[in-house]
């Protein structure tokens, strides 16, 4: 069935050199309001020539931008923080309109992006190098951090404001010029960000937005004037971006998909664990890379835990994200909703128990809704366990021991986030030592690190060797130069053909 089309479609274009650009490739994609199923807009898909124009503009802007003093850059980022904070609701409303997440969650997304802007307000400190006086007689050695040049970010649909902020804020603060290629599913927030950056005083051309699909991504990956690419999205595309970008000589960090486990030990506070499982499993309709997808119930924890989760499900209010009483919105597209719902057939067919069927509780209408769903008795061979479902379907795997739970987590190909619920500090400490996952929560279900640590998974959840934002973000967007210096001193001047000695 085709979605209804509103009479006035919003046309969403690019932002190049400090101005909106309509786009002239002739290729466009639809943008929907997921809560109603209506097509509300059309987004331009950039051509190779449009990408080239954006890169040339960014290259020119970079030359001036990198000369800005650190204190001037810090002043600018304080203004950026203030403007984004004042426009938090405008940004959040764009997210709800195109992604579908509830307004309070959208506002929380903007907040987590703001925290990274706040972090980079300290850019003078973050870019400090080191200095060794008298490394050899009359010789000093020091290191400096310099920007890479033009860098690009390619972002997913599920955090259309926050993930770009995780990239452009450190990249620009470090002195780079930035090209953002947002998700084509919810492209509007990036254009508002571009307007706000201009209003704050960022020079034209330092931040550019090119909308598009694979054509745009491929041109970014091969463009000789782009030095580095940050990517966040699904694992197959992350792998492709990493392999293609590094083959073209670029620095690449590519964050991929996830399958996050929440291990609940028999001694855990079951009510706390059930609250956490429901919040982390169904928040943002499960469309978070740090969402809990699998609850691993150990031993006697299983029955009370499944009971406590089940008891909470009817209270989760699913509806339009603009309705203040809604706690969970729709999925992003009809195709994605149908794919997520298919696990409610394949799960039971492969032996799982369907405890809650979200197809029965989804609001009526053409919106892309699926209610909260729970599968019990899931085993590692089932599709519901193996696939990243990325929707409001929580699976419960029952195991007998802690060791079995740990093995399950460590054998999973993904390694983004994991949570352990227990009252035993010794076991928790052993778990953090043993587990092969990049971000660990102890009685915390969604352990997204604060802005002054870095975010990133292990295994198939990240390709590259630098996590995003925090200190590793600064490392990613800079390269160091080591300078060895001596000032003329006629007394020590002599020719010496030997290898430099430090004594
Ligand atoms: P996606 O991989 O489909 O798209 C991500 C970006 O890649 C988009 O900008 C898209 O236009 C582009 N793209 C899509 N197909 C492409 C192709 N064939 N060639 C080149 N570029 C292509 O991901 P999505 O559906 O937008 O986002 C959801 C996924 O992102 C989930 O797997 C989720 O786990 C992951 N994610 C991971 C993190 C993390 O931190 N690890 C954070 C958020 C989302």
């Amino acid at each position: 069935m085709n979605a209804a089309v509103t009479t006035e479609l919003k046309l969403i274009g690019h932002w190049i050199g400090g101005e909106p650009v309509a786009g002239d490739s002739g290729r466009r994609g639809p943008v929907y309001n997921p809560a109603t199923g209506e097509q509300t807009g059309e987004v331009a898909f950039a051509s190779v020539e449009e990408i080239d124009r954006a890169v040339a503009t960014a290259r020119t802007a970079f030359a001036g931008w990198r000369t800005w003093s650190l204190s001037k850059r810090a002043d600018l980022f304080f203004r950026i923080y203030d403007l984004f904070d004042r426009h938090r609701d405008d940004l959040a409303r764009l997210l709800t309109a195109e992604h579908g997440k509830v307004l309070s969650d959208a506002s929380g997304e903007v907040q987590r992006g703001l925290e990274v802007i706040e972090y980079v307000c300290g850019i003078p400190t973050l870019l400090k190098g080191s200095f060794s006086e008298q490394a050899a007689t009359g010789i000093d050695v020091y290191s400096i951090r310099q920007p890479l040049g033009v860098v690009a970010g390619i972002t997913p649909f599920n955090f259309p404001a926050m993930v770009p902020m995780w990239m452009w804020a450190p990249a620009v603060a470090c002195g780079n010029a930035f090209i953002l290629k947002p998700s084509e599913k919810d492209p509007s927030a990036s254009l508002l960000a571009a307007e706000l950056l201009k209003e704050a005083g960022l020079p034209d051309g330092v931040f550019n937005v090119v909308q598009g699909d694979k054509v745009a991504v491929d041109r970014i990956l091969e463009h000789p004037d782009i030095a580095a690419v940050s990517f966040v999205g699904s694992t197959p595309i992350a792998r492709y971006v990493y392999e293609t970008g590094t083959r073209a000589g670029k620095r690449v960090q590519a964050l991929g998909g996830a399958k996050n486990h929440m291990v609940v030990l028999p001694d855990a506070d079951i009510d706390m664990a059930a609250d956490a499982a429901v919040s982390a499993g169904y928040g943002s309709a499960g469309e978070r890379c740090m969402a809990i997808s699998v609850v691993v119930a150990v031993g006697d924890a299983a029955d009370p835990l499944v009971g406590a989760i089940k008891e909470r499900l009817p209270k989760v209010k699913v509806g339009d994200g603009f309705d203040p009483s809604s706690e969970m919105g729709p999925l992003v597209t009809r195709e994605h909703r149908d794919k997520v719902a298919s696990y409610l057939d394949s799960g039971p067919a492969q032996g799982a128990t369907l405890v809650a069927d979200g197809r029965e509780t989804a609001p009526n209408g053409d919106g892309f809704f699926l209610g909260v769903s729970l599968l019990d008795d899931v085993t590692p061979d089932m599709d519901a366990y193996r696939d990243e479902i990325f929707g409001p379907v929580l699976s419960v795997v029952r195991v007998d021991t802690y060791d079995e739970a740990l093995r399950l987590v460590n054998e999973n190909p993904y390694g983004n986030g994991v949570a352990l619920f227990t009252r035993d500090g010794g076991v928790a400490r052993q778990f953090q030592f043993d587990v092969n996952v990049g971000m660990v929560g102890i009685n915390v279900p969604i352990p997204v690190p604060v802005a002054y640590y870095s975010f990133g998974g292990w295994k198939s959840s990240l390709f590259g060797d630098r996590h995003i934002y925090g200190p590793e973000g600064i490392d990613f967007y800079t390269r160091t130069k080591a300078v060895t210096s001596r000032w003329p001193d006629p007394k020590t001047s002599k020719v010496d053909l030997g290898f430099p000695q430090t004594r």
Side-chain angles (χ1 to χ4, degrees):
M1 191 185 78
N2 283 332
V5 179
T6 48
T7 42
E8 283 272 312
L9 283 185
K10 174 180 170 190
L11 297 178
I12 304 155
H14 318 295
W15 182 275
I16 300 175
E19 319 184 328
V21 172
D24 52 18
S25 73
R27 295 190 314 119
R28 292 178 182 278
V31 175
Y32 295 97
N33 175 351
T36 62
E38 274 183 329
Q39 185 182 344
T40 54
E42 232 176 21
V43 59
F45 284 175
S47 62
V48 168
E49 293 69 33
E50 285 165 325
I51 302 287
D52 288 357
R53 204 182 326 146
V55 176
T57 306
R59 204 176 159 195
T60 306
F62 167 67
W65 173 238
R66 68 166 297 202
T67 68
W68 273 46
S69 73
L70 296 178
S71 54
K72 247 179 106 178
R73 276 190 234 168
D75 280 353
L76 174 63
F77 269 91
F78 278 113
R79 286 200 298 280
I80 292 173
Y81 184 96
D82 180 52
L83 258 183
F84 275 69
D85 192 25
R86 281 195 274 131
H87 287 272
R88 180 194 297 252
D89 288 346
D90 302 325
L91 280 160
R93 295 186 78 78
L94 286 177
L95 304 184
T96 298
E98 294 181 354
H99 173 283
K101 61 179 70 179
V102 299
L103 211 45
S104 55
D105 192 36
S107 178
E109 165 175 353
V110 178
Q111 174 59 31
R112 290 308 295 255
L114 274 170
E115 288 168 16
V116 172
I117 295 182
E118 183 182 51
Y119 175 72
V120 304
C121 285
I123 197 66
T125 311
L126 297 171
L127 288 184
K128 271 165 86 169
S130 53
F131 190 97
S132 300
E133 184 188 43
Q134 196 72 346
T137 307
I139 289 184
D140 301 327
V141 179
Y142 50 97
S143 69
I144 51 182
R145 282 178 183 274
Q146 295 193 328
L148 305 177
V150 179
V151 300
I154 301 163
T155 53
F157 80 82
N158 65 327
F159 286 108
M162 180 187 78
V163 168
M165 286 156 98
W166 286 2
M167 296 175 181
W168 62 251
V172 169
C174 287
N176 300 284
F178 196 84
I179 310 272
L180 173 63
K181 206 302 280 171
S183 168
E184 63 278 34
K185 297 193 177 92
D186 39 24
S188 292
S190 296
L191 295 177
L192 177 53
E195 282 174 34
L196 296 178
L197 288 173
K198 184 177 171 93
E199 191 182 333
L202 186 72
D204 290 347
V206 176
F207 178 80
N208 306 277
V209 179
V210 288
Q211 311 285 2
D213 57 358
K214 184 171 166 54
V215 171
V217 171
D218 284 347
R219 183 58 188 153
I220 287 170
L221 294 178
E222 72 190 18
H223 199 297
D225 290 338
I226 293 181
V229 176
S230 299
F231 172 90
V232 175
S234 59
T235 287
I237 312 295
R239 186 181 282 116
Y240 168 78
V241 165
Y242 182 75
E243 288 174 355
T244 314
T246 50
R247 210 178 307 124
K250 299 182 196 319
R251 188 179 281 192
V252 181
Q253 57 178 184
L255 283 71
K259 191 79 185 174
N260 305 312
H261 298 70
M262 173 173 152
V263 177
V264 182
L265 298 183
D267 72 340
D269 180 325
I270 293 295
D271 279 324
M272 183 190 189
D275 285 342
V278 172
S279 316
Y282 304 113
S284 200
E287 290 174 324
R288 290 181 182 142
C289 63
M290 290 291 276
I292 292 297
S293 180
V294 187
V295 171
V296 186
V298 181
D300 294 342
D303 286 340
L305 181 62
V306 172
I309 294 174
K310 189 177 168 189
E311 190 186 293
R312 284 161 172 76
L313 297 188
K315 296 177 200 146
V316 177
K317 172 93 182 7
V318 183
D320 189 324
F322 283 113
D323 177 345
S325 71
S326 299
E327 292 170 301
M328 190 183 104
L331 288 133
V332 70
T333 60
R334 175 172 284 112
E335 296 69 35
H336 185 54
R337 190 269 316 273
D338 293 347
K339 172 87 172 77
V340 172
S342 74
Y343 292 95
L344 304 176
D345 289 326
S346 66
Q350 292 170 8
T353 308
L354 183 56
V355 179
D357 185 340
R359 292 170 297 196
E360 291 167 1
T361 52
N364 294 327
D366 292 329
F368 311 143
F369 288 102
L370 181 66
V372 292
S373 306
L374 185 64
L375 290 169
D376 195 2
D377 305 307
V378 171
T379 53
D381 52 320
M382 295 179 189
D383 292 339
Y385 179 79
R386 288 148 70 106
D387 297 352
E388 180 190 31
I389 299 178
F390 220 56
V393 177
L394 191 58
S395 298
V396 178
V397 175
R398 295 172 177 240
V399 299
D400 292 330
T401 63
Y402 165 84
D403 287 340
E404 241 183 286
L406 179 69
R407 199 174 329 116
L408 186 73
V409 176
N410 281 350
E411 284 177 358
N412 194 279
Y414 296 106
N416 215 38
V418 69
L420 178 74
F421 278 71
T422 181
R423 288 189 167 95
D424 187 328
V427 175
R429 190 169 180 280
Q430 189 62 43
F431 183 75
Q432 89 189 21
F433 184 83
D434 287 332
V435 77
N436 293 331
V437 171
M439 292 171 283
V440 181
I442 307 292
N443 297 312
V444 171
I446 304 196
V448 175
V450 291
Y452 42 98
Y453 284 78
S454 297
F455 178 107
W458 287 12
K459 301 189 275 184
S460 294
S461 296
L462 186 138
F463 302 90
D465 52 12
R466 284 285 184 275
H467 291 193
I468 201 165
Y469 72 71
E472 295 195 37
I474 302 297
D475 283 348
F476 183 77
Y477 292 121
T478 52
R479 54 188 164 181
T480 53
K481 203 176 252 180
V483 181
T484 303
S485 86
R486 168 164 58 193
W487 292 97
D489 176 355
K491 288 197 297 288
T492 59
S493 172
K494 62 174 179 145
V495 172
D496 180 355
L497 299 184
F499 192 75
Q501 304 289 313
T502 52
R503 276 169 244 280

